Amino acid sequence: MSCACAQAANAQSTVTLYGIVDAGVLYTNNQQGHSSWQLAGGNESGPRWGLIGSEDLGGGTKANFRLENGFNVANGALGQGGRMFGRQAWVGLSSVNWGALTLGRQYNSTQDVLGTLQMSSYLAQYSTHPFDNDDINNTFRTNNAVKYVSPTWAGLQANLVYGFSNATGFADDNSWSAGVTYANGPLNAGAAYARMNRPATSASGAVASDNYYPSSASVFGASLASTTRQQTWGAGGTYALGQATLGLLYTGTNFEMETGGTLRFNNYEGSVRYMLTPALMAMVGYTYTQVARGDDDGHYHQVSAGVQYLLSKRTDLYLNGFYQKASSGIGSAWIDGTGGPSSTTTQVAVVAGIRQKF
């Protein structure tokens, strides 16, 4: 639903209401030693509703805003730590010649650039890298952020973000990130870097303490809340070849801990999706994740596959399956998004559901 009204002879304003509702049934073969059936929301896309608006100021310049709410479709609860507009909340200006400058709660450059290249952008969230260790599936957003996105020059576009700590000094709970994308015909590629300094040390900083990594990440034997510095980087791309689209992605994340030492992840992902018919898409992907924590190293293997059937441009049905194998050094397998770890080094999850966009 949208509305548009003329506010002056040379100015036009538009406000659009939009959203996604996504729910399904999730089966996990081993969740803390038992099989599990759950009603699960946000499988293919996080449920949301939002308002996006713009006002034409003339000369190719616009004032813009976005307010986006996230919620749990299974019980109606607010997402992102109970925030009204926890997914996004920003206002800014854009220009055809100079790009866009926005201020508020926003995605950082690694999320903007690399998030669209990972397989979970078109396969269910359970294909996310273990525990979303690189945060490109948006485990948290950046508060107090100023973002600049350049115009596109010969297929290239730059992305810069700085998140203020909103406290004295600049050393605690601030963040910055930078990235670049390149699009040319069938090729879509990008690279990005993000750095968080003492993240989650307060509820009002750039990376808020009530919306950082989930407690499930404690499986790695270290509280991520004691991170003094987090760095995430990566590069990847997709290439359309007829009815197929091939994808490759690498990301790395390094957590420097207050108690000393580091926790390091390297994720290597390959995927392919294929349009069997204009209404039916099949996809499959593989991720290898290395985990290094001092002398205690390990890895994950994960295979993800699924099909998606379009009932219309707005509504689709999906069926996805996932298999994860953890090395003995890691201990338990735990597919991201399921309700708990396996009691063994393997875990299987299957989800079927419906998604509607408006």
Side-chain angles (χ1 to χ4, degrees):
M1 181 181 75
S2 65
C3 61
C5 53
Q7 296 201 337
N10 297 318
Q12 290 259 325
S13 294
T14 64
V15 177
T16 301
L17 171 67
Y18 66 93
I20 299 175
V21 184
D22 177 348
V25 175
L26 170 67
Y27 167 76
T28 309
N29 76 318
N30 186 324
Q31 188 170 294
Q32 298 174 328
H34 304 279
S35 61
S36 169
W37 291 89
Q38 299 169 266
L39 182 83
N43 301 306
E44 296 252 322
S45 300
R48 71 198 72 173
W49 68 268
L51 296 167
I52 185 169
S54 67
E55 180 186 7
D56 188 350
L57 303 177
T61 301
K62 293 182 178 181
N64 310 289
F65 79 90
R66 185 189 291 265
L67 299 172
E68 189 172 272
N69 166 272
F71 60 92
N72 185 330
V73 71
N75 58 23
L78 291 171
Q80 294 78 49
R83 290 168 169 80
M84 176 63 74
F85 296 110
R87 292 183 62 88
Q88 297 184 76
W90 52 258
V91 64
L93 295 171
S94 65
S95 164
V96 173
N97 296 321
W98 300 104
L101 183 70
T102 52
L103 301 92
R105 180 174 169 87
Q106 303 178 75
Y107 297 110
N108 68 29
S109 301
T110 57
Q111 294 164 330
D112 279 342
V113 173
L114 304 177
T116 59
L117 302 176
Q118 66 175 334
M119 74 175 83
S120 67
S121 65
Y122 54 89
L123 201 57
Q125 63 161 322
Y126 311 101
S127 62
T128 300
H129 304 153
F131 304 95
D132 193 26
N133 60 79
D134 47 21
D135 186 40
I136 60 173
N137 201 44
N138 312 322
T139 294
F140 60 87
R141 277 76 171 172
T142 303
N143 291 336
N144 319 321
V146 177
K147 175 188 287 188
Y148 172 72
V149 179
S150 76
T152 301
W153 301 296
L156 288 168
Q157 186 176 58
N159 181 307
L160 302 168
V161 181
Y162 182 81
F164 289 87
S165 67
N166 275 14
T168 341
F170 287 87
D172 291 344
D173 212 346
N174 62 55
S175 171
W176 67 269
S177 57
V180 61
T181 60
Y182 177 73
N184 184 5
L187 176 64
N188 184 11
Y193 170 87
R195 172 170 164 171
M196 282 65 73
N197 297 308
R198 291 194 174 275
T201 54
S202 75
S204 58
V207 180
S209 56
D210 63 345
N211 189 211
Y212 194 43
Y213 284 91
S215 58
S216 58
S218 64
V219 71
F220 298 113
S223 171
L224 297 187
S226 66
T227 300
T228 57
R229 179 182 298 168
Q230 177 186 343
Q231 298 179 82
T232 299
W233 58 90
T238 61
Y239 190 86
L241 196 64
Q243 300 300 106
T245 300
L246 310 177
L248 290 173
L249 178 65
Y250 162 76
T251 66
T253 300
N254 193 67
F255 298 90
E256 297 178 22
M257 315 307 292
E258 194 168 43
T259 53
T262 62
L263 175 61
R264 171 76 176 267
F265 295 87
N266 289 301
N267 304 288
Y268 304 88
E269 175 189 301
S271 64
V272 59
R273 61 186 188 267
Y274 191 89
M275 296 301 301
L276 298 169
T277 74
L280 181 62
M281 179 173 67
M283 55 218 106
V284 63
Y286 167 74
T287 299
Y288 175 70
T289 298
Q290 295 174 317
V291 184
R293 43 186 178 183
D295 296 329
D296 185 11
D297 298 344
H299 59 261
Y300 292 94
H301 297 279
Q302 182 163 321
V303 177
S304 307
V307 292
Q308 183 184 96
Y309 182 73
L310 301 176
L311 297 175
S312 70
K313 290 183 178 180
R314 292 171 44 196
T315 305
D316 63 88
L317 303 174
Y318 55 84
L319 174 65
N320 300 311
F322 311 89
Y323 170 81
Q324 186 183 98
K325 168 72 173 175
S327 67
S328 56
I330 293 294
S332 299
W334 194 345
I335 295 171
D336 190 59
T338 60
S342 171
S343 61
T344 72
T345 57
T346 63
Q347 190 173 57
V348 174
V350 178
V351 65
I354 181 171
R355 174 177 59 176
Q356 185 172 51
K357 304 174 184 178
F358 63 88

